[in-house]
Amino acid sequence: MDETEEDLIDYLVKSKAYPVCSKFGKISFTGPKDKFFDKKKDEIIKKLKLKTKEDCGRIRELVKEESAKLRTTKPIKKWVKEDRPREMLIKVGSENVPLTKLLAIILRTGNSFDGSSAEDLARKLLDKFRDLRGIDQASVDDLCSIKGIGMAKGVQVKSALEIGKRFYRENAEIKKRLSNVESVIGFVRDFYGPYLRDSKKEFFNIILLDRKNKVIDTKELTKGSVNASIVDPLEIVREATRETASSIILVHNHPSGEVDPSGDDIETTDRVVKACDLVNVRVLDHIIIGKNLEDYFSFMDKGLI
């Protein structure tokens, strides 16, 4: 029995696929497809008479209309106005908007095939990755593993999280004079914390300071393995003298999350201090970053420098 246009539209709806026409006139299908789709697509193109962009556009609209009938939830634009994420933010302020709605604003749209709203997709993100920190650790490909989140949405989410990190860096740069342990840890927390707390590799950095303990620059020296980074005291001396720094602060993270210094950490610090003494550059502190916001170890605070 020959399938009618209506039958084929139903099949496209179930397969969550719709036709597109390239600028060269090639017809293809986007969206998820079942395993039998490739065998059937030529027949679909022929029976639906798909030859032009206009043909594809007409069928695409029919597929969307039929998909909309299967929705079990309303799209956000049909919600009560007060419940819509953007309208809620304007009315009550961003700090009072639930996280799912904030993520929905970033995602912008839902999944037209299964009727998921942007907020539904936000819940799926949080269900899979637990929290913003988990989402931040995920790659774009990881985010795209969620049905309804494609490359564009994945990039939007990662971009928003990166903006948040850079906000903290800007905040750190405002406090450029580091006069005590608290100010040093505050700078390190804001400048390095968002990037290093969840890193699976060990990074070794230095903060270069002038005579008034104002930050001149920051340098990443090494990116190591899971267990250690290789630090060359001579490279640190070169960076310090090149920038005419009067003092420096060493910063590195422990991927394990533990902040207590290892024997290697103490030995490395001692070698760096001795090398810097030769050129009259003082090592003010060595900060180790752990997993959580409050997890920091200061060599100066513990009397190890």
Side-chain angles (χ1 to χ4, degrees):
M1 181 178 173
D2 287 342
E3 292 177 292
T4 65
E5 178 177 294
E6 185 177 344
D7 293 330
L8 293 173
I9 296 296
D10 286 342
Y11 179 72
L12 289 176
V13 170
K14 290 174 184 175
S15 300
K16 298 178 181 177
Y18 55 82
V20 291
C21 180
S22 74
K23 62 181 179 180
F24 302 109
K26 182 179 179 180
I27 307 298
S28 59
F29 293 85
T30 65
K33 299 172 278 287
D34 65 34
K35 61 183 178 180
F36 302 109
F37 192 89
D38 284 341
K39 297 178 182 178
K40 198 176 178 72
K41 66 179 181 181
D42 290 338
E43 178 189 352
I44 294 171
I45 291 170
K46 182 179 179 181
K47 288 188 175 180
L48 292 180
K49 300 177 181 177
L50 298 174
K51 297 179 180 179
T52 66
K53 287 185 179 181
E54 290 72 21
D55 296 334
C56 291
R58 182 180 69 84
I59 296 300
R60 194 158 56 243
E61 288 306 311
L62 289 174
V63 171
K64 287 182 178 180
E65 286 174 14
E66 292 303 313
S67 296
K69 293 176 184 177
L70 300 176
R71 283 180 175 165
T72 56
T73 58
K74 292 181 181 179
I76 286 177
K77 64 183 178 182
K78 292 188 178 180
W79 290 7
V80 176
K81 194 171 183 179
E82 290 75 12
D83 289 338
R84 298 176 198 168
R86 283 179 289 193
E87 285 79 355
M88 179 180 284
L89 186 147
I90 292 168
K91 183 176 180 180
V92 303
S94 57
E95 68 277 11
N96 296 311
V97 176
L99 180 56
T100 52
K101 291 187 184 293
L102 291 174
L103 284 170
I105 292 170
I106 295 166
L107 292 168
R108 295 185 60 245
T109 59
N111 182 356
S112 60
F113 280 114
D114 64 9
S116 299
S117 68
E119 193 166 341
D120 292 330
L121 294 182
R123 290 193 189 95
K124 289 178 183 179
L125 273 174
L126 292 170
D127 285 345
K128 181 164 185 175
F129 300 108
R130 296 180 56 189
D131 51 25
L132 287 178
R133 195 165 173 179
I135 295 172
D136 183 47
Q137 287 180 268
S139 67
V140 172
D141 285 342
D142 292 334
L143 301 183
C144 291
S145 68
I146 293 177
K147 189 176 178 181
I149 294 182
M151 186 68 69
K153 283 183 168 57
V155 168
Q156 285 163 207
V157 171
K158 295 295 284 185
S159 296
L161 291 169
E162 180 61 27
I163 287 171
K165 292 179 184 179
R166 295 192 188 188
F167 169 78
Y168 275 103
R169 282 212 155 172
E170 286 182 3
N171 189 48
E173 288 171 355
I174 291 170
K175 314 170 186 173
K176 279 200 167 181
R177 187 166 185 173
L178 309 181
S179 55
N180 52 41
V181 173
E182 289 74 22
S183 62
V184 170
I185 289 179
F187 181 89
V188 169
R189 181 184 61 239
D190 290 345
F191 194 85
Y192 290 108
Y195 292 94
L196 297 187
R197 277 201 300 269
D198 294 312
S199 173
K200 293 179 173 59
K201 292 185 179 293
E202 188 169 300
F203 291 79
F204 198 98
N205 301 265
I206 58 171
I207 304 169
L208 303 164
L209 306 168
D210 65 13
R211 285 181 295 176
K212 294 183 178 180
N213 287 349
K214 289 185 178 180
V215 177
I216 300 171
D217 202 356
T218 60
K219 302 284 184 181
E220 180 186 298
L221 295 184
T222 64
K223 176 181 178 180
S225 65
V226 171
N227 298 315
S229 54
I230 301 169
V231 180
D232 181 1
L234 292 180
E235 185 180 358
I236 293 175
V237 168
R238 278 195 296 269
E239 291 290 351
T241 53
R242 183 183 295 125
E243 300 291 340
T244 62
S246 294
S247 56
I248 64 171
I249 296 168
L250 312 177
V251 180
H252 85 281
N253 63 304
H254 280 174
S256 67
E258 297 295 327
V259 294
D260 291 335
S262 66
D264 285 342
D265 292 335
I266 294 170
E267 182 183 342
T268 296
T269 305
D270 187 53
R271 287 192 293 117
V272 172
V273 169
K274 288 177 180 176
C276 287
D277 280 345
L278 296 175
V279 291
N280 295 317
V281 174
R282 185 182 171 198
V283 180
L284 291 183
D285 204 346
H286 184 171
I287 303 292
I288 299 174
I289 300 174
K291 280 282 183 190
N292 299 311
L293 194 62
E294 68 278 4
D295 291 344
Y296 293 90
F297 184 95
S298 164
F299 276 59
M300 178 168 62
D301 189 45
K302 300 299 182 182
L304 296 177
I305 285 184

